[in-house]
Amino acid sequence: MNRRMIFYTIGQIVILEGILFTLPLLVSLIYWEETSIFCFSIMTIAALIMGFLMTVISKPSNKIIYAKEGFIIVTFAWIVLSAVGCVPFVISGEIPNVFDAFFETVSGFTTTGASILTDVESMSKGMLFWRSFTHWLGGMGVLVLIMAVIPKNSGTDSGRAMHILRAEMAGPIIGKLVPKAKDTAKILYVIYFALTVLEFFFLVIGDMPLYDSLVHAIGTAGTGGFGIKADSLSGYSPYSQWVITIFMLLFGINFNLYYLILLKRFKTVFTNRELWCYFGMIAVSVTVITWNIFPIYQNFSDSFRHSSFQVAGIISSTGYSSVDFNQWPQLSKNILFLLMFVGGCAGSTAGGLKVSRAMMLFKLIKKDIHRLLHPRSVKSVKMEGKVVDSNTLNGVSTYFAVYMVLILGTFLLISFEPLSFETNLSAAVSCVNNIGPGFDRAGPMEGYAVYSNFSKAVLSIAMLLGRLEIYPILLALYPQTWTKK
C-alpha cells in the first residue's frame, strides 16, 4: 500500500480546489459581494497552504499507483473535496448548517442537483456560481482533471494512471482513447470544455442573461441541475429550454463517440447500439408523455417541449425542470421514475445505472432463457459486435445486486422521516442515481429541506456511492485493502 502517494495526490487535489476558488472569487469581485470576497479569499489561501503541506509531508519516493491505491485516492479525494468545498457556504452564513452545506456540496460535486435551499434567489452571485461550478468539476471527474493538467513527471502519467480513470469514470467498461491515460484525460476535457462553451454561446444569443447562461451551461455540462431561480427553468423562454434540452441529451452520450466523430469514424458512431437504445428510449418516453399530458396544456407545442425537457432532464440525470411534473398524470410520472434507474450512456457525465448495463442485463436474461431451452448450446453475449467476457458480465450482475441493496438500504434509513412512501423512495432512487428531484415532497419545486440532519447525511453518502459507482468507497472501507499484501 503506497500510503504516501495517496495523501500526496489528495494534497494535489486540495491545491487544485484552492486555485479553483479564485473563479467564484472573481465573480464575487465583479458583483462586489464583500462577504463572498472574504470567504473565497480565505478559502483560497487555506486550501493552498493545506494542500502544499500535504504534498510536502507525504511526498513519496515511489509514485506508482496500483488498483487499490486508485480506488482509495478517488474515494478520499471526493470526500475531502466536498468537505473543503462546503466551508464557504458555512462561513458566509448563506448555508449556516454544516449538514446542509455538506449535502449541497456533495450534491454539486456528484452532479445530483438535489438541494436543501428554499430561497435560492437570495444567495449571492459568487456562491451560486461556486454551487453550479461544482457540477462542472464533478461531471467529468476531478481526478481526471488532475491527470490532464499535472506535469508528466508526477507519477500518474504511468500506465497505472488507468486505475484512477477506471475508478472515477462511470460505466461497466472504461478504455483509453489513446495509449496514455493522461492523453485520454486531456481529450475528454477538451471535448467537455468545447461542448460547454458551445451551449453557453447558444444561450447567450437567445434571451438568457450572460451570468444565467454561464451558470446553466456549466450545470448542464456536468448533468447536475442546480438552478438559480425558485422555479428552476420554467421562467425562461422556450428557445432557452430547447437549447438546454438538446445539450442535456448530448452530455448523456458516451464521450468516446465524440472523439470518433473528430476522427471521422462516422460509421462506428452511427452503428453504436447503446446510442440507438438511448435515443430509442427517449423517443418512446417523449411520445407517450406528450400524449398523456396533452389535456393539461391543450396544445402540442407546449406538451412536446415540456415532455422533451423533462425526459432529457431525468435520463441524463441533470434534473432541471421546466414545469412541476409532480402535477402530471401517474403514467408520465411512472415513466420518469423508470428513467431515473436507466440514466445515460457509459462514459458520459450522466448518472443512473447506464444504458449499456441495462442492455447487458437484458442480454443475460435472454442468454439464460436460451440456456434453459437448449442446455447443451453455448451462447455468448455481445456488445457493439464484440463478445463480452465473463468477468464483465459477472461484474454487471453483481453491481446491479449491490446497486439495488444500496437503494433499499437508503430508503429504509430515511424512512424514519414522517414523509410519504413516494417521497422517501423517490429521494433514495434520485440520490443514488444522481438525478436530483424526486416526487411529492422531494419534487422539483420543493426539495430536500424537509429531511433531518441524519437523513441528509445518509443521502449525502448515497450520492457519493452512486457517483463513484459503489465499489471504490466499499474497497476503501474494506480492512484488507489497507494491508501491505
Side-chain angles (χ1 to χ4, degrees):
M1 172 64 68
N2 193 346
R3 289 180 174 83
R4 283 184 169 272
M5 188 59 192
I6 292 170
F7 290 106
Y8 178 78
T9 307
I10 292 172
Q12 289 183 312
I13 289 288
V14 175
I15 290 173
L16 178 63
E17 188 167 21
I19 295 170
L20 294 172
F21 276 137
T22 59
L23 294 178
L25 173 60
L26 179 61
V27 173
S28 301
L29 285 167
I30 292 172
Y31 289 95
W32 197 250
E33 298 166 333
E34 294 182 6
T35 302
S36 296
I37 292 170
F38 171 76
C39 292
F40 287 117
S41 298
I42 290 295
M43 287 309 301
T44 299
I45 296 168
L48 289 174
I49 292 173
M50 184 170 71
F52 176 75
L53 290 175
M54 288 179 70
T55 56
V56 170
I57 294 170
S58 59
K59 188 172 183 179
S61 56
N62 175 13
K63 294 186 177 181
I64 292 178
I65 297 173
Y66 293 96
K68 59 183 178 180
E69 281 93 348
F71 287 120
I72 291 170
I73 286 170
V74 167
T75 297
F76 284 101
W78 278 72
I79 293 171
V80 170
L81 270 170
S82 300
V84 175
C86 78
V87 177
F89 295 123
V90 177
I91 62 177
S92 68
E94 297 198 30
I95 308 180
N97 183 301
V98 173
F99 287 94
D100 286 350
F102 186 72
F103 179 94
E104 199 78 9
T105 309
V106 169
S107 181
F109 278 118
T110 59
T111 72
T112 305
S115 181
I116 51 82
L117 295 174
T118 55
D119 186 15
V120 67
E121 293 180 39
S122 68
M123 291 189 73
S124 64
K125 300 285 188 181
M127 289 296 167
L128 283 176
F129 175 82
W130 172 242
R131 179 171 168 264
S132 292
F133 188 51
T134 56
H135 284 332
W136 197 86
L137 294 173
M140 188 59 66
V142 186
L143 273 294
V144 177
L145 177 59
I146 278 285
M147 289 168 57
V149 300
I150 56 178
K152 288 188 176 182
N153 60 2
S154 62
T156 51
D157 188 51
S158 68
R160 307 292 184 183
M162 195 61 193
H163 295 307
I164 289 179
L165 194 64
R166 291 181 193 277
E168 194 173 40
M169 291 296 288
I173 304 171
I174 296 296
K176 292 185 285 188
L177 300 177
V178 289
K180 290 186 178 181
K182 180 181 177 66
D183 294 333
T184 296
K186 285 182 178 179
I187 291 168
L188 289 172
Y189 256 98
V190 167
I191 295 171
Y192 188 48
F193 181 76
L195 284 173
T196 306
V197 171
L198 190 63
E199 181 183 0
F200 172 70
F201 170 76
F202 279 113
L203 289 174
V204 167
I205 63 174
D207 62 344
M208 189 177 284
L210 189 68
Y211 175 82
D212 297 35
S213 298
L214 176 61
V215 170
H216 287 113
I218 58 179
T220 306
T223 60
F226 274 150
I228 59 172
K229 303 289 185 183
D231 59 358
S232 190
L233 279 130
S234 63
Y236 292 99
S237 68
Y239 168 82
S240 295
Q241 291 177 6
W242 273 117
V243 169
I244 290 174
T245 298
I246 292 166
F247 277 92
M248 284 192 291
L249 295 176
L250 290 177
F251 282 107
I253 296 172
N254 191 330
F255 275 64
N256 289 9
L257 298 183
Y258 293 125
Y259 182 62
L260 292 175
I261 289 173
L262 294 176
L263 296 178
K264 298 182 179 180
R265 292 170 59 179
F266 301 112
K267 184 178 180 181
T268 306
V269 174
F270 292 115
T271 56
N272 184 275
R273 299 201 175 198
E274 183 186 30
L275 182 66
W276 282 107
C277 186
Y278 174 67
F279 281 121
M281 286 189 295
I282 291 166
V284 171
S285 300
V286 169
T287 301
V288 174
I289 293 176
T290 300
W291 166 78
N292 192 225
I293 66 174
F294 183 82
I296 298 174
Y297 300 102
Q298 295 297 313
N299 70 79
F300 175 78
S301 176
D302 288 345
S303 301
F304 181 62
R305 172 165 52 86
H306 292 311
S307 171
S308 300
F309 190 98
Q310 294 311 149
V311 167
I314 295 297
I315 198 169
S316 69
S317 80
T318 308
Y320 282 136
S321 302
S322 62
V323 290
D324 184 2
F325 55 78
N326 250 333
Q327 307 303 317
W328 283 2
Q330 196 61 47
L331 174 61
S332 296
K333 292 198 292 183
N334 288 345
I335 291 172
L336 293 179
F337 182 70
L338 292 175
L339 292 178
M340 285 183 179
F341 288 90
V342 179
C345 301
S348 70
T349 60
L353 188 63
K354 302 296 179 297
V355 175
S356 56
R357 277 203 186 94
M359 291 172 67
M360 284 187 199
L361 286 169
F362 279 109
K363 286 175 181 284
L364 277 170
I365 293 170
K366 184 179 177 182
K367 178 186 175 183
D368 284 345
I369 293 173
H370 185 270
R371 181 174 56 80
L372 291 172
L373 293 173
H374 308 283
R376 295 184 180 181
S377 68
V378 178
K379 187 176 178 65
S380 59
V381 173
K382 293 184 178 181
M383 286 289 291
E384 311 305 339
K386 297 178 182 179
V387 175
V388 181
D389 62 84
S390 58
N391 288 335
T392 301
L393 292 175
N394 290 336
V396 169
S397 301
T398 306
Y399 177 82
F400 181 71
V402 177
Y403 163 83
M404 291 305 298
V405 169
L406 173 60
I407 290 175
L408 292 173
T410 304
F411 169 64
L412 287 173
L413 287 172
I414 65 173
S415 291
F416 293 102
E417 302 284 349
L419 299 168
S420 69
F421 175 86
E422 185 179 16
T423 299
N424 287 331
L425 180 60
S426 65
V429 172
S430 182
C431 286
V432 170
N433 289 293
N434 305 132
I435 306 296
F439 295 98
D440 199 14
R441 295 291 299 280
M445 301 304 166
E446 292 196 47
Y448 291 74
V450 293
Y451 283 101
S452 65
N453 289 338
F454 171 76
S455 293
K456 287 169 188 170
V458 170
L459 292 170
S460 296
I461 295 168
M463 287 187 280
L464 285 167
L465 283 162
R467 172 58 181 84
L468 298 181
E469 300 203 324
I470 304 170
Y471 285 112
I473 293 179
L474 293 184
L475 285 169
L477 298 175
Y478 189 56
Q480 195 173 339
T481 306
W482 292 88
T483 61
K484 294 183 178 180
K485 294 181 180 180

